[in-house]
Amino acid sequence: MTITTAAPEPTTIAPTTPTSTSTAPSRWVPWLFQAGNLCFWLSLYYYVPTLPNYARDLGAPLWVVGAMLSAYGIVQLLLRIPTGVASDWWGRRKPVFIGGLVSSLVGAIAFAAASDPWALVGARALTGLAACAWVGITVMYAGYFPANQSTRAIGWLNLTNAAGQVIATWSGGHIAEAFGPIAPFVASAITAAVGLAIVSACPEPARAHAAPSVAPMTVGRLWNTATAPALIGVSLLSAVQNYATFSTVFGFTPVYAKELGATASDLGTLTA
């Protein structure tokens, strides 16, 4: 009798695959990102207290000063939503942040090199383009955290934004007082360059590469969002607040204050 023994089947070990993609970054990454975010806002606000009078010293009438100030907001009005849509379509946020810092750097250099008031209008438009990066910055930072911590993360991000604006406007006036009217632009350019180096070391969040959980943006969805009554109400309040801020405190108040004898340091304290 012949007994046939079946050969044992080879044992295979399947490769281990993660069940979910981790979104938790290294502990240092959010802090590094916040340092880059601080540099971003510092670079945009060092020269704000002295900019209107800088334009006046170049011979700008008040209506050109107004055109210069409004260029910052008009560019954002036209390009912020397209920037966000493009970032969603691309699925990446870091290039938007880097582009914002580059625009801030070039804008600061353009301010320092301006030889006539209309060159300042173009430089201010460049810094408005830089501010459009904010739509990518918020999403990128939130991507470092689980979805249920996004609100807290944005709160910390906004704290850094406000701190950067206050520090820059206050110190910008003192920088101009100590080193001359070009110095705030130089400080902005240097700070933007430092921010570029910092942000370049920040990885793209894992959540940015994940499959989208919502339908892609369409004209219909964009229209439905833009016409939501609650959003319209909040947007109108924001528009009034921004108009009041940029037409007075960041606009013509420094011009009037200088006529009353305010120094550059005084303007920094006033706008902060």
Side-chain angles (χ1 to χ4, degrees):
M1 177 183 295
T2 302
I3 301 175
T4 304
T5 305
E9 296 182 0
T11 302
T12 59
I13 300 176
T16 302
T17 56
T19 56
S20 62
T21 302
S22 174
T23 61
S26 301
R27 293 180 63 88
W28 57 269
V29 172
W31 293 101
L32 191 65
F33 186 95
Q34 284 279 38
N37 182 51
L38 179 63
C39 288
F40 175 75
W41 289 106
L42 289 173
S43 71
L44 286 175
Y45 275 81
Y46 273 128
Y47 45 77
V48 165
T50 57
L51 182 58
N53 287 303
Y54 180 73
R56 293 284 284 165
D57 291 341
L58 285 181
L62 288 178
W63 71 271
V64 175
V65 174
M68 177 193 68
L69 297 172
S70 64
Y72 181 75
I74 290 174
V75 171
Q76 293 182 67
L77 176 66
L78 296 175
L79 296 180
R80 263 204 177 183
I81 291 177
T83 299
V85 172
S87 179
D88 284 342
W89 177 81
W90 193 4
R92 300 190 63 193
R93 323 297 177 185
K94 184 175 176 178
V96 175
F97 197 172
I98 290 176
L101 285 163
V102 170
S103 295
S104 182
L105 172 60
V106 175
I109 294 173
F111 275 130
S115 57
D116 64 82
W118 286 107
L120 297 179
V121 176
R124 197 56 174 143
L126 278 173
T127 60
L129 179 63
C132 292
W134 175 236
V135 298
I137 293 172
T138 53
V139 178
M140 183 175 175
Y141 186 69
Y144 289 131
F145 300 90
N148 61 357
Q149 295 182 21
S150 295
T151 301
R152 185 176 67 175
I154 297 302
W156 283 108
L157 193 67
N158 285 331
L159 176 63
T160 305
N161 302 350
Q165 293 171 21
V166 171
I167 293 170
T169 50
W170 180 81
S171 61
H174 290 273
I175 290 171
E177 182 79 17
F179 303 105
I182 302 296
F185 306 122
V186 175
S188 291
I190 293 173
T191 305
V194 172
L196 273 172
I198 293 173
V199 174
S200 296
C202 295
E204 190 84 43
R207 279 170 57 191
H209 299 295
S213 57
V214 296
M217 179 61 69
T218 62
V219 174
R221 287 190 63 217
L222 184 61
W223 176 256
N224 290 337
T225 301
T227 56
L231 180 62
I232 291 175
V234 172
S235 298
L236 288 175
L237 289 175
S238 178
V240 171
Q241 183 268 333
N242 276 278
Y243 174 79
T245 300
F246 282 89
S247 64
T248 56
V249 178
F250 293 157
F252 294 104
T253 299
V255 174
Y256 183 60
K258 185 178 180 180
E259 292 177 354
L260 294 178
T263 64
S265 295
D266 295 332
L267 297 179
T269 303
L270 177 66
T271 54

